[in-house]
Amino acid sequence: MGQAFGCMQVDQSNVAITEQFGKFDDVLEPGCHCLPWCFGYQVAGELSLRVQQLDVRCETKTKDNVFVTVVASVQYRAMAEKAADAFYKLSNTKAQIQAYVFDVIRASVPKLHLDATFEQKNDIAKAVEDELEKAMSAYGFEIVQTLIVDIEPDINVKRAMNEINAAARMRVAANEKAEAEKILQIKRAEGEAESKYLSGLGIARQRQAIVDGLRDSVLAFSENVPGTSAKDVMDMVLVTQYFDTMKEIGASSKSSSVFIPAWAWCSERHRLTDS
């Protein structure tokens, strides 16, 4: 805004307030204006119509007695049609807005628990905006938007909240780990059962093959050696297996098996029974 030889310029997005002999006269729009100072006209001041922002930090406590610092961001501007009210009615606009923000926040937050304060921050911002809109419109200001940009609990409360969250996540992780181990054990048991079942089938087939082989051997031996009975052949097979077993035991240096003759075992058994 400039003034020379009774002419003045008002910059864009601004208005000028003029007075005549100290009394409000007019609101000048952006552009060039003639202002004859010799008739008592003068510029009282300039008012910006741009959107301004005020960040307000308000300390209060929640319903569960946790102290928090709420940071509210208020965007406002002067209305051109009420520029005179905006210029004359308030001496400190920012202090007035800050007082209303303090009043609404300290009336709203103590009704909420800490978790609800975070969840309902939009409701708090709307309450602040409604109160400011109703109060500041009478002074020529428009509230463009109000935001709750931050809610800061006490450092000890934040640490406790983080520990609670970490403990909850560890509990979930432990449950998942236990469930995984349970599945592994079930699968391992199913595998062992299937392995034992297949092993049993193998042993049964092996014994069946042995029986079939013995039967074929007995029949072949009886046919080739006349006068021999099946019992004679089986006795010979058992004696052969007995000597094969003794041979295998004797070949091992770490064997701990002890063979007792049948007559000695029977004598010891009778002795123990008689005593």
Side-chain angles (χ1 to χ4, degrees):
M1 180 178 65
Q3 181 176 0
F5 304 106
C7 293
M8 63 169 297
Q9 173 185 313
V10 181
D11 296 333
Q12 185 65 34
S13 299
N14 292 283
V15 293
I17 308 299
T18 61
E19 297 176 347
Q20 185 180 21
F21 298 112
K23 181 181 178 181
F24 170 72
D25 177 64
D26 195 8
V27 177
L28 301 182
E29 301 288 339
C32 185
H33 300 273
C34 180
L35 195 68
W37 55 269
C38 56
F39 292 105
Y41 289 97
Q42 65 176 356
V43 178
E46 183 182 3
L47 186 65
S48 175
L49 301 180
R50 292 186 178 93
V51 175
Q52 302 180 60
Q53 179 168 309
L54 175 63
D55 292 332
V56 181
R57 298 177 65 87
C58 176
E59 186 178 10
T60 183
K61 73 172 184 176
T62 61
K63 190 175 182 179
D64 44 355
N65 296 322
V66 177
F67 280 89
V68 295
T69 299
V70 181
V71 181
S73 180
V74 181
Q75 299 173 356
Y76 66 98
R77 65 183 174 189
M79 295 183 288
E81 62 274 15
K82 294 184 178 182
D85 292 338
F87 185 80
Y88 286 106
K89 286 188 176 182
L90 286 180
S91 60
N92 192 334
T93 304
K94 292 185 177 180
Q96 185 78 3
I97 293 175
Q98 188 177 48
Y100 280 109
V101 172
F102 281 171
D103 181 65
V104 176
I105 289 179
R106 287 174 176 168
S108 301
V109 174
K111 299 177 182 179
L112 304 172
H113 289 86
L114 180 59
D115 293 339
T117 303
F118 284 95
E119 295 172 359
Q120 300 182 27
K121 69 183 187 69
N122 291 334
D123 296 337
I124 299 173
K126 187 66 170 59
V128 173
E129 182 176 341
D130 292 344
E131 185 67 23
L132 285 175
E133 184 69 32
K134 181 172 60 177
M136 298 304 294
S137 61
Y139 300 108
F141 286 92
E142 175 190 6
I143 304 301
V144 178
Q145 193 170 17
T146 302
L147 303 172
I148 301 298
V149 296
D150 197 8
I151 299 175
E152 302 175 357
D154 181 78
I155 185 64
N156 294 325
V157 176
K158 291 173 67 175
R159 186 182 299 112
M161 292 173 65
N162 290 334
E163 290 177 356
I164 292 172
N165 187 40
R169 292 181 180 275
M170 290 179 63
R171 184 166 60 250
V172 173
N175 290 336
E176 294 295 331
K177 183 179 180 180
E179 190 67 23
E181 291 179 354
K182 175 183 175 182
I183 294 174
L184 288 175
Q185 290 179 358
I186 292 174
K187 293 300 181 181
R188 190 180 298 113
E190 291 177 353
E192 291 178 356
E194 183 69 17
S195 175
K196 291 179 180 179
Y197 172 74
L198 295 176
S199 177
L201 290 179
I203 293 174
R205 291 174 182 175
Q206 179 187 15
R207 291 177 178 176
Q208 183 64 40
I210 293 173
V211 171
D212 293 341
L214 289 175
R215 184 184 65 247
D216 294 339
S217 298
V218 170
L219 292 175
F221 193 87
S222 299
E223 291 176 358
N224 294 327
V225 181
T228 58
S229 63
K231 183 178 182 303
D232 297 333
V233 177
M234 288 302 300
D235 291 341
M236 185 182 66
V237 171
L238 290 176
V239 171
T240 302
Q241 290 183 348
Y242 172 78
F243 283 113
D244 289 340
T245 303
M246 294 294 293
K247 181 180 178 181
E248 292 178 1
I249 292 174
S252 176
S253 61
K254 297 181 180 181
S255 177
S256 59
S257 300
V258 177
F259 277 81
I260 301 176
W263 61 267
W265 178 81
C266 292
S267 300
E268 182 65 17
R269 182 180 179 184
H270 285 301
R271 188 183 66 81
L272 293 174
T273 303
D274 294 338
S275 61

